[in-house]
Amino acid sequence: MFLKLYGNYSRENELIGFELNEITKELMDENLIQQFFFMRYKDTYNHIRLRFKGNPEILYGKVLRKLNNWFDSLKENGLLTKVEIGTYEREVERYGGIQLIDYAEKVFFYDSQVVSNILYLKGIHELDMDYEQIAICSIISYLEDFNIPYMNQIELLNMVTNQSEYREGFKKKREQYTFIGNSNNNFENLRKTEEGRMLYGILKKRTSAVREYTLKIEEESKNGNLANSKLGIYLSILHLHCNRLFGINREKEKEVISYARHTLYALKFLKTKKDK
């Protein structure tokens, strides 16, 4: 089932972090859906694209009835103006090919949970780290889960950033970013604070799915069956994560990926010393 939810753009984080978080947990707990994932999109208007995976008979029966009640509640609260049921077209080639798309969508599922949990905790002020700090940790966590060696992580981010951009913003918080962004010993520094441990625990929820996907990417690469380059796949996953976290804001995406790149580069001494 594929839905487009149109509503109040300024309250999208509330819709994702609270309302979507609650309804998807309910549907999962009742075994009515197998997976879900979302992304933010804009055609004429901003909206959320939402996909549910499960038994079609259940999806268009019990699930849709529950969702109709949910839609009514969202409309009453000013969060929703229109819903469309559409046809979902999988971006098969972008994520490696038909043999890999199920693994990619499993990552989408866990990443959607990661982002909705982050937005919920930000909304109730239990996670006070700023979004830039969260994004840096999340991006570097992804690179680690992709099993990319340290120097290759920098090379990957160099493909979509310029080392001279966002330097001033990075310098202002260099000490904070390099402290929490150091992945040594399973982000030991990040885990020294309660909210850091909270964020680490959330990010780890997707690790198994990301690593499984990465292994399958390697297998298909060796067999010469990849429909996209490995680096192209990794960057697509990072892009979609930033879309979920920040919305359709390519400038913010570029900013946080640049901060992650600068963080990794600033850690060069510690990282290369560890590897010796």
Side-chain angles (χ1 to χ4, degrees), residues 87-99:
T87 301
Y88 173 65
E89 297 181 5
R90 297 169 122 185
E91 294 186 275
V92 173
E93 291 188 358
R94 184 175 187 179
Y95 295 101
I98 191 64
Q99 66 280 7

Side-chain angles (χ1 to χ4, degrees), residues 150-166:
Y150 164 69
M151 289 303 297
N152 296 104
Q153 293 179 13
I154 297 176
E155 292 175 7
L156 175 66
L157 299 189
N158 278 343
M159 293 174 62
V160 289
T161 62
N162 185 315
Q163 64 181 26
S164 64
E165 291 186 316
Y166 302 102

Side-chain angles (χ1 to χ4, degrees), residues 73-119:
S73 174
L74 294 179
K75 288 176 181 177
E76 288 177 7
N77 291 325
L79 287 167
L80 185 70
T81 56
K82 181 177 71 170
V83 179
E84 292 182 1
I85 297 179
T87 301
Y88 173 65
E89 297 181 5
R90 297 169 122 185
E91 294 186 275
V92 173
E93 291 188 358
R94 184 175 187 179
Y95 295 101
I98 191 64
Q99 66 280 7
L100 291 174
I101 192 64
D102 284 337
Y103 296 98
E105 290 179 350
K106 187 175 180 181
V107 172
F108 301 166
F109 165 52
Y110 283 103
D111 192 65
S112 293
Q113 289 186 311
V114 164
V115 172
S116 62
N117 286 339
I118 287 171
L119 295 179

Side-chain angles (χ1 to χ4, degrees), residues 125-137:
H125 306 291
E126 285 194 14
L127 186 61
D128 292 327
M129 297 171 66
D130 62 43
Y131 280 105
E132 291 75 19
Q133 291 175 311
I134 291 168
I136 288 168
C137 293

Side-chain angles (χ1 to χ4, degrees), residues 53-270:
K53 296 181 73 173
N55 182 311
E57 185 176 339
I58 296 174
L59 288 177
Y60 290 95
K62 290 183 180 179
V63 172
L64 189 55
R65 286 195 292 273
K66 280 182 173 287
L67 289 177
N68 282 328
N69 291 332
W70 183 57
F71 298 151
D72 290 340
S73 174
L74 294 179
K75 288 176 181 177
E76 288 177 7
N77 291 325
L79 287 167
L80 185 70
T81 56
K82 181 177 71 170
V83 179
E84 292 182 1
I85 297 179
T87 301
Y88 173 65
E89 297 181 5
R90 297 169 122 185
E91 294 186 275
V92 173
E93 291 188 358
R94 184 175 187 179
Y95 295 101
I98 191 64
Q99 66 280 7
L100 291 174
I101 192 64
D102 284 337
Y103 296 98
E105 290 179 350
K106 187 175 180 181
V107 172
F108 301 166
F109 165 52
Y110 283 103
D111 192 65
S112 293
Q113 289 186 311
V114 164
V115 172
S116 62
N117 286 339
I118 287 171
L119 295 179
Y120 171 74
L121 291 171
K122 288 287 290 180
I124 62 172
H125 306 291
E126 285 194 14
L127 186 61
D128 292 327
M129 297 171 66
D130 62 43
Y131 280 105
E132 291 75 19
Q133 291 175 311
I134 291 168
I136 288 168
C137 293
S138 187
I139 290 166
I140 294 175
S141 175
Y142 254 126
L143 298 177
E144 290 290 318
D145 289 341
F146 289 144
N147 198 31
I148 302 174
Y150 164 69
M151 289 303 297
N152 296 104
Q153 293 179 13
I154 297 176
E155 292 175 7
L156 175 66
L157 299 189
N158 278 343
M159 293 174 62
V160 289
T161 62
N162 185 315
Q163 64 181 26
S164 64
E165 291 186 316
Y166 302 102
R167 295 294 304 181
E168 292 306 312
F170 173 74
K171 286 178 181 177
K172 292 176 182 178
K173 295 189 175 182
R174 174 190 171 109
E175 188 174 339
Q176 294 177 32
Y177 292 166
T178 53
F179 184 79
I180 63 172
N182 185 348
S183 63
N184 287 356
N185 300 318
N186 295 314
F187 287 90
E188 180 180 17
N189 290 342
L190 177 65
R191 292 185 289 110
K192 288 181 177 178
T193 65
E194 183 176 349
E195 65 174 351
R197 288 189 294 273
M198 188 184 303
L199 177 61
Y200 178 79
I202 292 171
L203 297 179
K204 290 299 289 182
K205 290 179 180 179
R206 71 182 178 212
T207 291
S208 179
V210 176
R211 289 180 177 174
E212 182 182 29
Y213 183 33
T214 302
L215 288 173
K216 293 298 179 180
I217 291 170
E218 290 294 337
E219 287 179 15
E220 295 303 322
S221 177
K222 289 177 182 177
N223 294 332
N225 294 330
L226 277 187
N228 191 0
S229 68
K230 288 191 289 185
L231 300 184
I233 295 170
Y234 299 150
L235 290 173
S236 293
I237 292 291
L238 293 181
H239 163 67
L240 199 50
H241 173 66
C242 289
N243 167 279
R244 292 188 182 103
L245 190 58
F246 295 111
I248 306 165
N249 189 338
R250 294 307 289 263
E251 194 61 35
K252 175 57 72 173
E253 176 182 344
K254 193 174 181 181
E255 178 187 0
V256 296
I257 290 178
S258 295
Y259 286 163
R261 181 264 171 208
H262 298 331
T263 297
L264 288 169
Y265 189 82
L267 289 166
K268 191 172 183 179
F269 174 76
L270 288 175

